[in-house]
PDB file of all heavy atoms in Angstrom:
ATOM      1  N   ASN A   1       0.815  -1.211   0.000  1.00 92.00           N
ATOM      2  CA  ASN A   1       0.000   0.000   0.000  1.00 92.00           C
ATOM      3  C   ASN A   1       0.853   1.268   0.000  1.00 92.00           C
ATOM      4  O   ASN A   1       0.556   2.241  -0.699  1.00 92.00           O
ATOM      5  CB  ASN A   1      -0.926   0.012   1.225  1.00 92.00           C
ATOM      6  CG  ASN A   1      -2.019  -1.031   1.125  1.00 92.00           C
ATOM      7  OD1 ASN A   1      -2.166  -1.679   0.089  1.00 92.00           O
ATOM      8  ND2 ASN A   1      -2.768  -1.208   2.193  1.00 92.00           N
ATOM      9  N   VAL A   2       1.944   1.236   0.787  1.00 92.00           N
ATOM     10  CA  VAL A   2       2.849   2.391   0.828  1.00 92.00           C
ATOM     11  C   VAL A   2       3.475   2.606  -0.550  1.00 92.00           C
ATOM     12  O   VAL A   2       3.527   3.733  -1.066  1.00 92.00           O
ATOM     13  CB  VAL A   2       3.940   2.170   1.893  1.00 92.00           C
ATOM     14  CG1 VAL A   2       5.051   3.215   1.745  1.00 92.00           C
ATOM     15  CG2 VAL A   2       3.340   2.246   3.288  1.00 92.00           C
ATOM     16  N   SER A   3       3.947   1.521  -1.166  1.00 92.00           N
ATOM     17  CA  SER A   3       4.580   1.634  -2.488  1.00 92.00           C
ATOM     18  C   SER A   3       3.585   2.135  -3.521  1.00 92.00           C
ATOM     19  O   SER A   3       3.920   2.968  -4.376  1.00 92.00           O
ATOM     20  CB  SER A   3       5.144   0.277  -2.913  1.00 92.00           C
ATOM     21  OG  SER A   3       6.084  -0.208  -1.979  1.00 92.00           O
ATOM     22  N   LEU A   4       2.354   1.642  -3.446  1.00 92.00           N
ATOM     23  CA  LEU A   4       1.333   2.088  -4.387  1.00 92.00           C
ATOM     24  C   LEU A   4       1.022   3.575  -4.193  1.00 92.00           C
ATOM     25  O   LEU A   4       0.844   4.317  -5.169  1.00 92.00           O
ATOM     26  CB  LEU A   4       0.062   1.258  -4.212  1.00 92.00           C
ATOM     27  CG  LEU A   4      -1.122   1.636  -5.112  1.00 92.00           C
ATOM     28  CD1 LEU A   4      -0.728   1.543  -6.594  1.00 92.00           C
ATOM     29  CD2 LEU A   4      -2.325   0.749  -4.823  1.00 92.00           C
ATOM     30  N   ALA A   5       0.975   4.021  -2.944  1.00 93.00           N
ATOM     31  CA  ALA A   5       0.714   5.439  -2.683  1.00 93.00           C
ATOM     32  C   ALA A   5       1.838   6.309  -3.243  1.00 93.00           C
ATOM     33  O   ALA A   5       1.585   7.345  -3.857  1.00 93.00           O
ATOM     34  CB  ALA A   5       0.563   5.666  -1.181  1.00 93.00           C
ATOM     35  N   VAL A   6       3.087   5.869  -3.037  1.00 93.00           N
ATOM     36  CA  VAL A   6       4.227   6.618  -3.569  1.00 93.00           C
ATOM     37  C   VAL A   6       4.154   6.687  -5.085  1.00 93.00           C
ATOM     38  O   VAL A   6       4.328   7.754  -5.698  1.00 93.00           O
ATOM     39  CB  VAL A   6       5.550   5.973  -3.113  1.00 93.00           C
ATOM     40  CG1 VAL A   6       6.739   6.597  -3.850  1.00 93.00           C
ATOM     41  CG2 VAL A   6       5.732   6.123  -1.612  1.00 93.00           C
ATOM     42  N   CYS A   7       3.887   5.539  -5.724  1.00 93.00           N
ATOM     43  CA  CYS A   7       3.794   5.514  -7.190  1.00 93.00           C
ATOM     44  C   CYS A   7       2.643   6.384  -7.692  1.00 93.00           C
ATOM     45  O   CYS A   7       2.756   7.044  -8.735  1.00 93.00           O
ATOM     46  CB  CYS A   7       3.615   4.077  -7.677  1.00 93.00           C
ATOM     47  SG  CYS A   7       5.050   3.025  -7.406  1.00 93.00           S
ATOM     48  N   THR A   8       1.539   6.392  -6.948  1.00 94.00           N
ATOM     49  CA  THR A   8       0.389   7.202  -7.352  1.00 94.00           C
ATOM     50  C   THR A   8       0.716   8.692  -7.302  1.00 94.00           C
ATOM     51  O   THR A   8       0.419   9.445  -8.237  1.00 94.00           O
ATOM     52  CB  THR A   8      -0.818   6.905  -6.441  1.00 94.00           C
ATOM     53  OG1 THR A   8      -1.150   5.514  -6.537  1.00 94.00           O
ATOM     54  CG2 THR A   8      -2.030   7.735  -6.853  1.00 94.00           C
ATOM     55  N   VAL A   9       1.356   9.113  -6.213  1.00 94.00           N
ATOM     56  CA  VAL A   9       1.726  10.534  -6.078  1.00 94.00           C
ATOM     57  C   VAL A   9       2.712  10.932  -7.176  1.00 94.00           C
ATOM     58  O   VAL A   9       2.571  11.991  -7.815  1.00 94.00           O
ATOM     59  CB  VAL A   9       2.317  10.797  -4.683  1.00 94.00           C
ATOM     60  CG1 VAL A   9       2.894  12.212  -4.603  1.00 94.00           C
ATOM     61  CG2 VAL A   9       1.254  10.601  -3.609  1.00 94.00           C
ATOM     62  N   ILE A  10       3.716  10.091  -7.417  1.00 93.00           N
ATOM     63  CA  ILE A  10       4.703  10.392  -8.462  1.00 93.00           C
ATOM     64  C   ILE A  10       4.023  10.462  -9.825  1.00 93.00           C
ATOM     65  O   ILE A  10       4.287  11.374 -10.632  1.00 93.00           O
ATOM     66  CB  ILE A  10       5.820   9.333  -8.469  1.00 93.00           C
ATOM     67  CG1 ILE A  10       6.656   9.442  -7.196  1.00 93.00           C
ATOM     68  CG2 ILE A  10       6.702   9.487  -9.704  1.00 93.00           C
ATOM     69  CD1 ILE A  10       7.693   8.351  -7.049  1.00 93.00           C
ATOM     70  N   GLY A  11       3.131   9.525 -10.094  1.00 94.00           N
ATOM     71  CA  GLY A  11       2.425   9.522 -11.377  1.00 94.00           C
ATOM     72  C   GLY A  11       1.593  10.771 -11.585  1.00 94.00           C
ATOM     73  O   GLY A  11       1.594  11.368 -12.664  1.00 94.00           O
ATOM     74  N   VAL A  12       0.873  11.187 -10.521  1.00 96.00           N
ATOM     75  CA  VAL A  12       0.046  12.395 -10.627  1.00 96.00           C
ATOM     76  C   VAL A  12       0.914  13.624 -10.887  1.00 96.00           C
ATOM     77  O   VAL A  12       0.598  14.463 -11.745  1.00 96.00           O
ATOM     78  CB  VAL A  12      -0.790  12.578  -9.350  1.00 96.00           C
ATOM     79  CG1 VAL A  12      -1.457  13.950  -9.329  1.00 96.00           C
ATOM     80  CG2 VAL A  12      -1.849  11.480  -9.241  1.00 96.00           C
ATOM     81  N   LEU A  13       2.029  13.742 -10.155  1.00 93.00           N
ATOM     82  CA  LEU A  13       2.899  14.903 -10.326  1.00 93.00           C
ATOM     83  C   LEU A  13       3.549  14.931 -11.711  1.00 93.00           C
ATOM     84  O   LEU A  13       3.556  15.972 -12.390  1.00 93.00           O
ATOM     85  CB  LEU A  13       3.978  14.914  -9.245  1.00 93.00           C
ATOM     86  CG  LEU A  13       3.495  15.146  -7.805  1.00 93.00           C
ATOM     87  CD1 LEU A  13       4.662  15.054  -6.828  1.00 93.00           C
ATOM     88  CD2 LEU A  13       2.807  16.503  -7.683  1.00 93.00           C
ATOM     89  N   VAL A  14       4.082  13.790 -12.149  1.00 92.00           N
ATOM     90  CA  VAL A  14       4.790  13.748 -13.427  1.00 92.00           C
ATOM     91  C   VAL A  14       3.833  13.978 -14.593  1.00 92.00           C
ATOM     92  O   VAL A  14       4.066  14.830 -15.462  1.00 92.00           O
ATOM     93  CB  VAL A  14       5.540  12.419 -13.587  1.00 92.00           C
ATOM     94  CG1 VAL A  14       6.088  12.272 -15.004  1.00 92.00           C
ATOM     95  CG2 VAL A  14       6.668  12.319 -12.574  1.00 92.00           C
ATOM     96  N   PHE A  15       2.743  13.224 -14.627  1.00 95.00           N
ATOM     97  CA  PHE A  15       1.815  13.372 -15.740  1.00 95.00           C
ATOM     98  C   PHE A  15       1.065  14.705 -15.672  1.00 95.00           C
ATOM     99  O   PHE A  15       0.675  15.259 -16.699  1.00 95.00           O
ATOM    100  CB  PHE A  15       0.837  12.197 -15.790  1.00 95.00           C
ATOM    101  CG  PHE A  15       1.472  10.927 -16.289  1.00 95.00           C
ATOM    102  CD1 PHE A  15       1.882   9.941 -15.411  1.00 95.00           C
ATOM    103  CD2 PHE A  15       1.678  10.731 -17.653  1.00 95.00           C
ATOM    104  CE1 PHE A  15       2.478   8.781 -15.874  1.00 95.00           C
ATOM    105  CE2 PHE A  15       2.265   9.573 -18.128  1.00 95.00           C
ATOM    106  CZ  PHE A  15       2.676   8.598 -17.236  1.00 95.00           C
ATOM    107  N   GLY A  16       0.851  15.208 -14.449  1.00 95.00           N
ATOM    108  CA  GLY A  16       0.252  16.530 -14.323  1.00 95.00           C
ATOM    109  C   GLY A  16       1.143  17.600 -14.919  1.00 95.00           C
ATOM    110  O   GLY A  16       0.681  18.503 -15.647  1.00 95.00           O
ATOM    111  N   ALA A  17       2.463  17.522 -14.615  1.00 91.00           N
ATOM    112  CA  ALA A  17       3.408  18.498 -15.187  1.00 91.00           C
ATOM    113  C   ALA A  17       3.464  18.374 -16.703  1.00 91.00           C
ATOM    114  O   ALA A  17       3.524  19.392 -17.422  1.00 91.00           O
ATOM    115  CB  ALA A  17       4.792  18.272 -14.577  1.00 91.00           C
ATOM    116  N   MET A  18       3.444  17.137 -17.217  1.00 92.00           N
ATOM    117  CA  MET A  18       3.449  16.942 -18.666  1.00 92.00           C
ATOM    118  C   MET A  18       2.196  17.535 -19.306  1.00 92.00           C
ATOM    119  O   MET A  18       2.256  18.191 -20.355  1.00 92.00           O
ATOM    120  CB  MET A  18       3.554  15.441 -18.984  1.00 92.00           C
ATOM    121  CG  MET A  18       4.908  14.829 -18.658  1.00 92.00           C
ATOM    122  SD  MET A  18       4.927  13.035 -18.891  1.00 92.00           S
ATOM    123  CE  MET A  18       4.493  12.922 -20.625  1.00 92.00           C
ATOM    124  N   PHE A  19       1.042  17.310 -18.665  1.00 93.00           N
ATOM    125  CA  PHE A  19      -0.216  17.833 -19.202  1.00 93.00           C
ATOM    126  C   PHE A  19      -0.193  19.366 -19.262  1.00 93.00           C
ATOM    127  O   PHE A  19      -0.565  19.981 -20.269  1.00 93.00           O
ATOM    128  CB  PHE A  19      -1.378  17.335 -18.349  1.00 93.00           C
ATOM    129  CG  PHE A  19      -2.719  17.819 -18.799  1.00 93.00           C
ATOM    130  CD1 PHE A  19      -3.421  17.154 -19.788  1.00 93.00           C
ATOM    131  CD2 PHE A  19      -3.294  18.963 -18.233  1.00 93.00           C
ATOM    132  CE1 PHE A  19      -4.656  17.602 -20.207  1.00 93.00           C
ATOM    133  CE2 PHE A  19      -4.534  19.420 -18.637  1.00 93.00           C
ATOM    134  CZ  PHE A  19      -5.219  18.733 -19.633  1.00 93.00           C
ATOM    135  N   ILE A  20       0.261  19.972 -18.158  1.00 91.00           N
ATOM    136  CA  ILE A  20       0.328  21.439 -18.125  1.00 91.00           C
ATOM    137  C   ILE A  20       1.290  21.967 -19.191  1.00 91.00           C
ATOM    138  O   ILE A  20       0.996  22.935 -19.904  1.00 91.00           O
ATOM    139  CB  ILE A  20       0.764  21.914 -16.719  1.00 91.00           C
ATOM    140  CG1 ILE A  20      -0.334  21.603 -15.700  1.00 91.00           C
ATOM    141  CG2 ILE A  20       1.071  23.414 -16.714  1.00 91.00           C
ATOM    142  CD1 ILE A  20       0.074  21.847 -14.262  1.00 91.00           C
ATOM    143  N   ALA A  21       2.463  21.298 -19.312  1.00 88.00           N
ATOM    144  CA  ALA A  21       3.455  21.761 -20.287  1.00 88.00           C
ATOM    145  C   ALA A  21       2.931  21.653 -21.712  1.00 88.00           C
ATOM    146  O   ALA A  21       3.148  22.549 -22.546  1.00 88.00           O
ATOM    147  CB  ALA A  21       4.741  20.948 -20.131  1.00 88.00           C
ATOM    148  N   MET A  22       2.217  20.565 -22.016  1.00 90.00           N
ATOM    149  CA  MET A  22       1.747  20.349 -23.390  1.00 90.00           C
ATOM    150  C   MET A  22       0.612  21.279 -23.782  1.00 90.00           C
ATOM    151  O   MET A  22       0.527  21.727 -24.927  1.00 90.00           O
ATOM    152  CB  MET A  22       1.314  18.882 -23.561  1.00 90.00           C
ATOM    153  CG  MET A  22       2.466  17.897 -23.595  1.00 90.00           C
ATOM    154  SD  MET A  22       1.923  16.217 -24.007  1.00 90.00           S
ATOM    155  CE  MET A  22       0.885  15.844 -22.602  1.00 90.00           C
ATOM    156  N   PHE A  23      -0.277  21.579 -22.846  1.00 89.00           N
ATOM    157  CA  PHE A  23      -1.475  22.348 -23.210  1.00 89.00           C
ATOM    158  C   PHE A  23      -1.361  23.840 -22.873  1.00 89.00           C
ATOM    159  O   PHE A  23      -1.878  24.681 -23.610  1.00 89.00           O
ATOM    160  CB  PHE A  23      -2.706  21.742 -22.533  1.00 89.00           C
ATOM    161  CG  PHE A  23      -3.098  20.415 -23.107  1.00 89.00           C
ATOM    162  CD1 PHE A  23      -2.596  19.237 -22.588  1.00 89.00           C
ATOM    163  CD2 PHE A  23      -3.951  20.329 -24.210  1.00 89.00           C
ATOM    164  CE1 PHE A  23      -2.945  18.008 -23.123  1.00 89.00           C
ATOM    165  CE2 PHE A  23      -4.301  19.108 -24.749  1.00 89.00           C
ATOM    166  CZ  PHE A  23      -3.795  17.945 -24.216  1.00 89.00           C
ATOM    167  N   ARG A  24      -0.688  24.175 -21.800  1.00 87.00           N
ATOM    168  CA  ARG A  24      -0.603  25.590 -21.445  1.00 87.00           C
ATOM    169  C   ARG A  24       0.520  26.297 -22.199  1.00 87.00           C
ATOM    170  O   ARG A  24       0.388  27.474 -22.548  1.00 87.00           O
ATOM    171  CB  ARG A  24      -0.401  25.737 -19.941  1.00 87.00           C
ATOM    172  CG  ARG A  24      -0.394  27.192 -19.489  1.00 87.00           C
ATOM    173  CD  ARG A  24      -0.303  27.279 -17.979  1.00 87.00           C
ATOM    174  NE  ARG A  24      -0.259  28.667 -17.541  1.00 87.00           N
ATOM    175  CZ  ARG A  24      -0.147  29.048 -16.264  1.00 87.00           C
ATOM    176  NH1 ARG A  24      -0.079  28.125 -15.305  1.00 87.00           N
ATOM    177  NH2 ARG A  24      -0.115  30.315 -15.951  1.00 87.00           N
ATOM    178  N   PHE A  25       1.592  25.585 -22.455  1.00 86.00           N
ATOM    179  CA  PHE A  25       2.745  26.200 -23.100  1.00 86.00           C
ATOM    180  C   PHE A  25       2.989  25.639 -24.501  1.00 86.00           C
ATOM    181  O   PHE A  25       4.127  25.455 -24.914  1.00 86.00           O
ATOM    182  CB  PHE A  25       3.992  26.001 -22.220  1.00 86.00           C
ATOM    183  CG  PHE A  25       3.854  26.566 -20.844  1.00 86.00           C
ATOM    184  CD1 PHE A  25       3.646  25.738 -19.745  1.00 86.00           C
ATOM    185  CD2 PHE A  25       3.891  27.942 -20.639  1.00 86.00           C
ATOM    186  CE1 PHE A  25       3.508  26.266 -18.479  1.00 86.00           C
ATOM    187  CE2 PHE A  25       3.750  28.476 -19.367  1.00 86.00           C
ATOM    188  CZ  PHE A  25       3.547  27.640 -18.283  1.00 86.00           C
ATOM    189  N   ARG A  26       1.904  25.383 -25.209  1.00 84.00           N
ATOM    190  CA  ARG A  26       2.065  24.888 -26.578  1.00 84.00           C
ATOM    191  C   ARG A  26       2.313  26.054 -27.546  1.00 84.00           C
ATOM    192  O   ARG A  26       1.971  27.209 -27.268  1.00 84.00           O
ATOM    193  CB  ARG A  26       0.850  24.084 -27.002  1.00 84.00           C
ATOM    194  CG  ARG A  26      -0.457  24.843 -27.076  1.00 84.00           C
ATOM    195  CD  ARG A  26      -1.609  23.866 -27.374  1.00 84.00           C
ATOM    196  NE  ARG A  26      -2.874  24.552 -27.575  1.00 84.00           N
ATOM    197  CZ  ARG A  26      -3.716  24.842 -26.611  1.00 84.00           C
ATOM    198  NH1 ARG A  26      -3.401  24.501 -25.351  1.00 84.00           N
ATOM    199  NH2 ARG A  26      -4.844  25.455 -26.870  1.00 84.00           N
ATOM    200  N   LYS A  27       2.885  25.748 -28.703  1.00 80.00           N
ATOM    201  CA  LYS A  27       3.273  26.765 -29.682  1.00 80.00           C
ATOM    202  C   LYS A  27       2.075  27.546 -30.212  1.00 80.00           C
ATOM    203  O   LYS A  27       2.164  28.748 -30.470  1.00 80.00           O
ATOM    204  CB  LYS A  27       4.009  26.084 -30.837  1.00 80.00           C
ATOM    205  CG  LYS A  27       4.551  27.051 -31.869  1.00 80.00           C
ATOM    206  CD  LYS A  27       5.327  26.309 -32.948  1.00 80.00           C
ATOM    207  CE  LYS A  27       5.868  27.287 -33.989  1.00 80.00           C
ATOM    208  NZ  LYS A  27       6.623  26.589 -35.052  1.00 80.00           N
ATOM    209  N   SER A  28       0.933  26.843 -30.358  1.00 84.00           N
ATOM    210  CA  SER A  28      -0.246  27.512 -30.909  1.00 84.00           C
ATOM    211  C   SER A  28      -0.749  28.638 -30.009  1.00 84.00           C
ATOM    212  O   SER A  28      -1.490  29.516 -30.453  1.00 84.00           O
ATOM    213  CB  SER A  28      -1.365  26.495 -31.146  1.00 84.00           C
ATOM    214  OG  SER A  28      -1.749  25.888 -29.928  1.00 84.00           O
ATOM    215  N   ARG A  29      -0.342  28.629 -28.754  1.00 82.00           N
ATOM    216  CA  ARG A  29      -0.732  29.707 -27.829  1.00 82.00           C
ATOM    217  C   ARG A  29       0.352  30.781 -27.744  1.00 82.00           C
ATOM    218  O   ARG A  29       0.272  31.689 -26.914  1.00 82.00           O
ATOM    219  CB  ARG A  29      -0.994  29.135 -26.435  1.00 82.00           C
ATOM    220  CG  ARG A  29      -2.209  28.200 -26.391  1.00 82.00           C
ATOM    221  CD  ARG A  29      -2.579  27.840 -24.965  1.00 82.00           C
ATOM    222  NE  ARG A  29      -2.934  29.031 -24.199  1.00 82.00           N
ATOM    223  CZ  ARG A  29      -3.308  29.007 -22.910  1.00 82.00           C
ATOM    224  NH1 ARG A  29      -3.368  27.840 -22.273  1.00 82.00           N
ATOM    225  NH2 ARG A  29      -3.612  30.123 -22.286  1.00 82.00           N
ATOM    226  N   GLY A  30       1.353  30.661 -28.585  1.00 82.00           N
ATOM    227  CA  GLY A  30       2.392  31.678 -28.620  1.00 82.00           C
ATOM    228  C   GLY A  30       3.510  31.493 -27.622  1.00 82.00           C
ATOM    229  O   GLY A  30       4.300  32.420 -27.397  1.00 82.00           O
ATOM    230  N   ALA A  31       3.580  30.322 -27.006  1.00 82.00           N
ATOM    231  CA  ALA A  31       4.641  30.077 -26.026  1.00 82.00           C
ATOM    232  C   ALA A  31       5.990  30.012 -26.726  1.00 82.00           C
ATOM    233  O   ALA A  31       6.122  29.454 -27.814  1.00 82.00           O
ATOM    234  CB  ALA A  31       4.380  28.770 -25.277  1.00 82.00           C
ATOM    235  N   VAL A  32       7.000  30.603 -26.101  1.00 83.00           N
ATOM    236  CA  VAL A  32       8.358  30.602 -26.642  1.00 83.00           C
ATOM    237  C   VAL A  32       9.263  29.881 -25.650  1.00 83.00           C
ATOM    238  O   VAL A  32       9.291  30.216 -24.454  1.00 83.00           O
ATOM    239  CB  VAL A  32       8.872  32.038 -26.873  1.00 83.00           C
ATOM    240  CG1 VAL A  32      10.299  32.018 -27.400  1.00 83.00           C
ATOM    241  CG2 VAL A  32       7.948  32.773 -27.831  1.00 83.00           C
ATOM    242  N   ALA A  33       9.990  28.900 -26.156  1.00 80.00           N
ATOM    243  CA  ALA A  33      10.848  28.098 -25.272  1.00 80.00           C
ATOM    244  C   ALA A  33      11.995  28.927 -24.739  1.00 80.00           C
ATOM    245  O   ALA A  33      12.547  29.785 -25.431  1.00 80.00           O
ATOM    246  CB  ALA A  33      11.378  26.885 -26.036  1.00 80.00           C
ATOM    247  N   GLU A  34      12.345  28.665 -23.470  1.00 78.00           N
ATOM    248  CA  GLU A  34      13.505  29.324 -22.883  1.00 78.00           C
ATOM    249  C   GLU A  34      14.790  28.779 -23.512  1.00 78.00           C
ATOM    250  O   GLU A  34      14.815  27.677 -24.068  1.00 78.00           O
ATOM    251  CB  GLU A  34      13.526  29.081 -21.368  1.00 78.00           C
ATOM    252  CG  GLU A  34      12.370  29.736 -20.623  1.00 78.00           C
ATOM    253  CD  GLU A  34      12.528  31.244 -20.532  1.00 78.00           C
ATOM    254  OE1 GLU A  34      13.607  31.756 -20.900  1.00 78.00           O
ATOM    255  OE2 GLU A  34      11.568  31.923 -20.123  1.00 78.00           O
ATOM    256  N   LYS A  35      15.888  29.520 -23.363  1.00 79.00           N
ATOM    257  CA  LYS A  35      17.149  29.136 -23.970  1.00 79.00           C
ATOM    258  C   LYS A  35      18.041  28.311 -23.028  1.00 79.00           C
ATOM    259  O   LYS A  35      18.979  27.673 -23.465  1.00 79.00           O
ATOM    260  CB  LYS A  35      17.908  30.402 -24.418  1.00 79.00           C
ATOM    261  CG  LYS A  35      17.133  31.272 -25.413  1.00 79.00           C
ATOM    262  CD  LYS A  35      16.821  30.512 -26.701  1.00 79.00           C
ATOM    263  CE  LYS A  35      16.117  31.415 -27.713  1.00 79.00           C
ATOM    264  NZ  LYS A  35      15.777  30.675 -28.952  1.00 79.00           N
TER     265      LYS A  35
END
């Protein structure tokens, strides 16, 4: 249960960050990548 909870939290954080990066900072919205 502890391992599953850790994996769940990591999954939510990682995929949440990916989701935000793909949709909020996409090129069609005018986002410009940092250097």
Side-chain angles (χ1 to χ4, degrees):
N1 290 353
V2 168
S3 302
L4 178 58
V6 170
C7 293
T8 301
V9 172
I10 292 174
V12 170
L13 293 177
V14 171
F15 286 100
M18 290 174 59
F19 180 85
I20 292 172
M22 288 187 296
F23 289 91
R24 184 175 178 182
F25 302 105
R26 64 186 185 271
K27 184 177 180 180
S28 61
R29 294 190 61 180
V32 178
E34 294 287 351
K35 302 299 183 182

